[in-house]
Amino acid sequence: MLYKKVIISVLVAAGLFSCEEKKSEPVADNLQTSIDSLKKAEAFDKNENVFYYQLDTLENKEVVVKYKTTDKELAEKAVKISDGYNFKSEIISLPEGENIEKPYAVVNTSVANTRAGTSRAKSMATQVIMGMQLEILDNEGKWYRVRTPQGYVAWIVKSSFEFLTKEQSEELRKQPKVMITAQTTFAYNPDNKEQVVSDLVYGNVVVVEKNGKEWTNVVLPGNRKAVVKTSEVVELSKWQETAKFDKEILVETAYQHLGQPYLWGGNSFKGNDCSGFSAAVYWSMGMLLPRDAYQQAKQGDHVDYEMGSVEGFKNLEVGDLLFFGGSRVTHVAVWIGNNEYIHNSSTYGRVFISSIDSTKENYHSDYLATHILDIRRINGSKNTDKIIDLTNMSIW
């Protein structure tokens, strides 16, 4: 063996570190502390980028630090730190290996759950839906680390997507498509319209072959021929032409989710969490919000409000996002007017409507009413650098 490992797969973002040789622990701990400080100073977000390192000791006792990352600039700064310990350094930029040949993927199931790690037992990170294209970063066996259109990094099992080369990805984006408009429905066998090929949910996008009065012929990812009810789809190009912020559409869409169960990491009609719900509402108007509440809280413009009375919320407009929490943002809701907001809460386990007015029956929580950290307005704001305009950009 050219070298032996003394510290294995140290995931800095999770704060994990192990060492086989006791004498290496102080140096290893110091290096980790220094890099943790660097990450904090650079506002590194593990949900948006990959960054971890591994220490190896060669036979000549020389220590090599291998950085594996999507953030080369951060890695180069980390190299300067490891240089201070007289360690050699190596930067491995992702994607690498076989993932460079086919660096993209298209989701092939109605809703695919991504995970925080390489196991179905790991907590769910987010959901991606049929037709979405993903960027493949690296893999461990059948699990692939991907970046979603929202820029979110998570793991997905190979059976949930189809590989795409760069050329295939570009060609797929050019093909005519339809978007599913029903909350839930099915794609059927073209020759037997009672045999299900796949379930479908709102927002799924598939290639269209032929439009018909009653049935539309489509091709699902994986080259699966099917038909869908014409009344339950819209041509993607037409949807992109007409999608815009509309208060009536926002409220109507939000109401369609009422009673939907809470699902950590969910953002579809199969279940969602608080930020998944707010993102689903804005999707209907052609806007793809960042995945998590703390990320959404950085978008839009601040709306002035005062705690303690209904009058203090007079400046709010339908569609404004309310952010709650203690020392950090942990919850988000959508303002729908009439002193009410709609949200999905793990406490109640479903999407429901709450009032800011303590005299109303649906005033559900003193905690929420007194722990609003900020209110942001997306509509009309220029601070939307992390929001994808689906009317001008294809994620399919």
Side-chain angles (χ1 to χ4, degrees):
M1 261 178 89
L2 179 61
Y3 60 86
K4 61 177 182 177
K5 294 182 180 179
V6 295
I7 302 174
I8 59 172
S9 298
V10 182
L11 182 56
V12 177
L16 301 178
F17 206 96
S18 63
C19 182
E20 294 177 2
E21 296 183 8
K22 296 294 183 181
K23 63 182 180 181
S24 299
E25 286 182 356
V27 174
D29 290 345
N30 290 340
L31 177 62
Q32 181 184 354
T33 300
S34 298
I35 291 181
D36 284 347
S37 297
L38 171 65
K39 285 170 35 192
K40 185 175 181 180
E42 295 293 317
F44 175 78
D45 189 337
K46 66 181 178 64
N47 292 324
E48 297 179 351
N49 277 293
V50 179
F51 179 81
Y52 62 100
Y53 68 87
Q54 170 181 308
L55 267 66
D56 296 317
T57 300
L58 305 181
E59 290 183 349
N60 62 3
K61 305 300 182 182
E62 187 175 41
V63 177
V64 178
V65 187
K66 293 183 178 180
Y67 297 97
K68 199 170 187 179
T69 183
T70 57
D71 190 337
K72 190 174 181 180
E73 184 176 342
L74 179 64
E76 289 173 346
K77 292 179 180 179
V79 166
K80 294 181 180 179
I81 294 176
S82 51
D83 285 348
Y85 292 93
N86 294 319
F87 294 160
K88 291 186 64 176
S89 300
E90 177 184 345
I91 298 176
I92 302 173
S93 296
L94 298 176
E96 65 168 341
E98 63 180 30
N99 300 311
I100 295 177
E101 299 298 322
K102 292 187 176 180
Y104 299 102
V106 57
V107 181
N108 62 17
T109 60
S110 63
V111 177
N113 299 329
T114 68
R115 301 287 174 179
T118 57
S119 167
R120 295 185 189 277
K122 297 293 184 180
S123 63
M124 193 156 79
T126 188
Q127 289 178 325
V128 288
I129 61 178
M130 183 180 290
M132 272 188 179
Q133 289 200 33
L134 312 173
E135 178 187 1
I136 297 177
L137 301 177
D138 64 347
N139 71 289
E140 292 184 15
K142 65 179 182 180
W143 287 90
Y144 285 74
R145 181 157 28 200
V146 298
R147 180 179 278 123
T148 73
Q150 292 161 301
Y152 211 74
V153 174
W155 292 90
I156 186 172
V157 70
K158 182 179 179 295
S159 58
S160 295
F161 67 85
E162 306 292 330
F163 287 105
L164 297 173
T165 63
K166 181 180 179 181
E167 292 73 21
Q168 289 171 331
S169 170
E170 292 174 350
E171 181 60 32
L172 179 57
R173 291 179 191 276
K174 297 175 184 177
Q175 295 186 43
K177 304 176 184 71
V178 291
M179 177 183 289
I180 306 303
T181 56
Q183 293 182 17
T184 58
T185 187
F186 297 95
Y188 298 92
N189 187 313
D191 301 321
N192 177 4
K193 295 180 177 62
E194 293 183 353
Q195 183 180 359
V196 172
V197 174
S198 175
D199 73 315
L200 300 168
V201 300
Y202 177 84
N204 285 171
V205 171
V206 294
V207 173
V208 60
E209 281 194 326
K210 180 181 178 183
N211 291 307
K213 185 175 182 180
E214 183 177 1
W215 296 95
T216 295
N217 290 72
V218 297
V219 182
L220 309 186
N223 200 33
R224 291 175 293 165
K225 305 280 186 177
V227 292
V228 294
K229 292 182 179 178
T230 302
S231 61
E232 295 180 336
V233 300
V234 62
E235 289 182 31
L236 181 60
S237 58
K238 289 184 178 180
W239 179 82
Q240 290 177 305
E241 290 174 2
T242 59
K244 63 179 181 179
F245 181 88
D246 184 289
K247 294 179 180 179
E248 291 186 6
I249 292 177
L250 184 147
V251 174
E252 179 183 340
T253 301
Y255 277 19
Q256 290 176 353
H257 287 269
L258 280 171
Q260 190 172 11
Y262 182 90
L263 177 64
W264 175 269
N267 57 4
S268 72
F269 271 101
K270 288 190 176 182
N272 51 50
D273 56 19
C274 65
S275 55
F277 167 71
S278 57
V281 170
Y282 269 85
W283 171 286
S284 67
M285 299 176 294
M287 287 176 272
L288 182 57
L289 301 185
R291 175 60 188 90
D292 288 341
Y294 77 91
Q295 296 170 319
Q296 294 176 6
K298 298 175 183 177
Q299 300 297 291
D301 299 324
H302 170 75
V303 179
D304 288 334
Y305 66 97
E306 292 183 12
M307 307 293 294
S309 70
V310 171
E311 184 67 15
F313 295 86
K314 64 181 180 181
N315 293 328
L316 273 66
E317 297 180 0
V318 171
D320 289 348
L321 299 180
L322 287 69
F323 295 95
F324 307 81
S327 60
R328 60 185 179 87
V329 171
T330 57
H331 188 61
V332 59
V334 182
W335 190 258
I336 54 174
N338 194 33
N339 297 321
E340 292 180 327
Y341 55 91
I342 185 169
H343 55 141
N344 201 340
S345 166
S346 59
T347 301
Y348 291 87
R350 66 183 185 281
V351 175
F352 63 105
I353 297 172
S354 296
S355 176
I356 205 72
D357 187 346
S358 60
T359 67
K360 300 299 183 181
E361 186 177 347
N362 63 337
Y363 176 83
H364 291 116
S365 172
D366 284 324
Y367 177 84
L368 287 180
T370 58
H371 284 73
I372 297 177
L373 297 181
D374 197 7
I375 297 177
R376 312 288 292 184
R377 180 167 299 154
I378 302 299
N379 183 38
S381 173
K382 294 182 179 180
N383 179 33
T384 55
D385 61 304
K386 296 293 185 179
I387 296 177
I388 296 176
D389 181 356
L390 296 173
T391 66
N392 291 317
M393 181 181 297
S394 176
I395 63 172
W396 309 281

